Amino acid sequence: MSLRPAVERAPGADLTSDLLTLLELVRTGAARTRTELSTATGLGRTAVTQRVTQLIEAGLLEEGELNASTGGRQARTLKFRKDSGRILVAELGATSFSAGVTDLCGNLLAHHSEPCNIAAGPEPVLERVEARFDTLLKSTGSAPVWGIGVGLPGPVEFATGQPSEPPIMPGWDGYPVRDRLARRYDAPVWVDNEVNLMALGALREDGSAVRGDLLYLKVGTGIGAGITTAGRLHRGAQGCAGDIGHVAVLDDSPVVCRCGKTGCLESLAGGAALARDGKAAAEAGTSPYLRETLAASGTVTSKDVAAAAQAGDRTAVELLITAGQRIGALLATLVNFYNPSTILLGGGVAGAGDLFLATIRETIYRRSLPLATRDLQIRRANAGDLGGLAGASLMVCEELFSMPAFCRWLPRRTPAGYPELPDESRT
């Protein structure tokens, strides 16, 4: 536990609620002047002025420029002090990781990606992430770390920030990722599944998805989904909602999934499955394109299968269609059950070409209820490789500026130096 200086007494609940509401209106750009704050909240001008003064004295807001005159007295704008702190973000995948630094509005200031094998274990992988964090912090100034957000490629118990029996992460089960980073940077840390963060990143980058219920599907080496309702992430009771890669889609499949079970969607339609089946086709000689690829490189990847399909290789086309049909059939079940307004497809395999996307889309429409698909949008995600980092920052901001957490750190004026915040804000 860190040593913290004595702090002022926390304001009452009603006043804190008003302060947070005003702060969020300015932070998100929904209001820029005291008059706009009064209109948006229904608070009188005197009350707004008093509370804004408190936020300015707390170092959270500052006066901006004068607004252009509309015939009356010019109103001075208000600005959230987004550079008062920094947020560290990282997204760890099966074969690489990305790290970044954002301001307190989630704007990415610096980032870096590099290859990294998650199966190497938590100690060497997190050492590399921490080294990259240190370098990126130096390049973005001396502001204190207000929070850290991390995405992992496996199930995470959100309450503790610990991986829970992740299939592709040997040595990570129960590892205290949150506690380790909290001690090192003396800041609150939140850890989640990487696909959940990609879903949050999609909300930030794709405005149309914010207005409805989103299902974000990542099809990469494995398969996972992030679920949002009215712009809020649904994690489930323990944090493993959306782990559809390990839903059984075949009862008699001989293929053993990385989770140890058979018939899982991931083991039959994920990137690793496409690579496995593509290599088998190359070795059997049924795919001339992939046979040449195997002879030239010694291996076959899911990208090779996609390239072969785009070149007209019949076997590769069949592999993509079969994978797309299996994914689409499961998504059709989710469409009937959850009725999302948007399905976004991300991950390396999701970019396999129009054939793959068209097969998934056709299967969903064919197997879902007409009402559930009447206004459904199905398309590729736009957030790109940095979507997970954007989502990690959004996760941290949502937690920091939630009422339970804000009540805790407001008297201290900053959550920096308060690594116990995630635990204490839940009590």
Side-chain angles (χ1 to χ4, degrees):
M1 180 177 294
S2 63
L3 295 175
R4 299 191 301 272
V7 296
E8 301 171 7
R9 185 172 179 172
D14 290 342
L15 175 56
T16 303
S17 178
D18 288 347
L19 292 172
L20 179 58
T21 299
L22 297 174
L23 179 64
E24 283 296 271
L25 287 169
V26 177
R27 190 178 74 88
T28 60
R32 300 177 61 245
T33 66
R34 291 169 175 81
T35 300
E36 291 175 355
L37 289 173
S38 180
T39 301
T41 61
L43 291 171
R45 290 191 178 186
T46 299
V48 168
T49 297
Q50 291 173 343
R51 286 152 178 74
V52 166
T53 298
Q54 286 181 269
L55 291 170
I56 291 175
E57 291 175 348
L60 298 173
L61 295 182
E62 64 183 356
E63 302 278 8
E65 304 295 327
L66 288 172
N67 262 353
S69 175
T70 57
R73 181 179 178 182
Q74 287 179 286
R76 188 171 292 279
T77 61
L78 296 166
K79 295 170 59 179
F80 173 62
R81 296 188 62 191
K82 62 183 180 179
D83 289 316
S84 297
R86 295 287 183 255
I87 297 173
L88 295 174
V89 289
E91 178 196 350
L92 282 65
T95 59
S96 65
F97 79 85
S98 297
V101 179
T102 78
D103 62 23
L104 300 181
C105 285
N107 301 306
L108 196 60
L109 305 176
H111 64 90
H112 174 83
S113 300
E114 63 183 68
C116 184
N117 182 9
I118 197 72
E123 296 290 341
V125 171
L126 291 177
E127 284 178 4
R128 291 179 62 178
V129 172
E130 290 165 349
R132 187 54 56 188
F133 276 165
D134 295 343
T135 300
L136 292 171
L137 275 175
K138 290 179 182 178
S139 71
T140 56
S142 57
V145 176
W146 275 38
I148 301 172
V150 178
L152 298 177
V156 175
E157 186 180 33
F158 188 71
T160 63
Q162 295 180 0
S164 179
E165 300 185 35
I168 66 170
M169 301 170 65
W172 288 79
D173 183 33
Y175 187 85
V177 177
R178 189 185 74 185
D179 294 345
R180 172 185 174 133
L181 294 173
R183 285 194 304 269
R184 169 149 184 160
Y185 294 98
D186 198 23
V189 179
W190 289 271
V191 185
D192 204 347
N193 179 274
E194 62 164 344
V195 187
N196 282 344
L197 300 187
M198 290 178 180
L200 287 176
L203 292 178
R204 179 180 175 86
E205 298 296 330
D206 197 320
S208 62
V210 176
R211 294 192 293 272
D213 299 326
L214 168 69
L215 178 63
Y216 184 101
L217 181 74
K218 179 191 176 185
V219 187
T221 302
I223 297 176
I227 305 167
T228 73
T229 301
R232 301 289 297 182
L233 189 65
H234 174 72
R235 294 187 173 92
Q238 275 73 46
C240 64
D243 196 1
I244 66 171
H246 301 289
V247 172
V249 294
L250 282 181
D251 291 332
D252 57 352
S253 172
V255 179
V256 178
C257 183
R258 292 178 294 182
C259 71
K261 300 178 177 63
T262 59
C264 295
L265 178 66
E266 180 178 300
S267 69
L268 298 170
L274 284 173
R276 178 198 64 226
D277 294 344
K279 184 178 180 181
E283 293 172 340
T286 58
S287 169
Y289 187 104
L290 294 177
R291 181 175 57 194
E292 293 179 5
T293 300
L294 180 61
S297 64
T299 188
V300 173
T301 67
S302 59
K303 291 183 179 180
D304 294 329
V305 175
Q310 291 172 352
D313 184 276
R314 180 178 299 179
T315 299
V317 168
E318 291 174 353
L319 289 176
L320 280 184
I321 289 176
T322 300
Q325 288 174 337
R326 285 171 171 160
I327 292 171
L330 181 56
L331 287 178
T333 300
L334 296 179
V335 167
N336 288 333
F337 177 76
Y338 169 56
N339 191 201
S341 60
T342 306
I343 295 177
L344 296 180
L345 301 177
V349 179
D354 294 338
L355 173 64
F356 188 66
L357 177 61
T359 302
I360 293 175
R361 183 183 284 123
E362 185 276 332
T363 305
I364 291 173
Y365 285 129
R366 176 167 47 84
R367 301 189 61 147
S368 301
L369 294 171
L371 181 60
T373 57
R374 186 176 65 189
D375 299 314
L376 177 65
Q377 299 184 53
I378 307 170
R379 61 183 187 273
R380 292 187 185 91
N382 296 325
D385 294 338
L386 302 179
L389 296 184
S393 182
L394 183 58
M395 171 182 67
V396 173
C397 288
E398 285 185 349
E399 295 295 330
L400 287 177
F401 296 103
S402 67
M403 187 63 177
F406 187 68
C407 286
R408 296 281 181 174
W409 67 258
L410 176 60
R412 299 168 172 82
R413 302 189 177 188
T414 173
Y418 195 176
E420 307 89 353
L421 179 63
D423 285 329
E424 293 187 2
S425 61
R426 284 196 300 271
T427 59

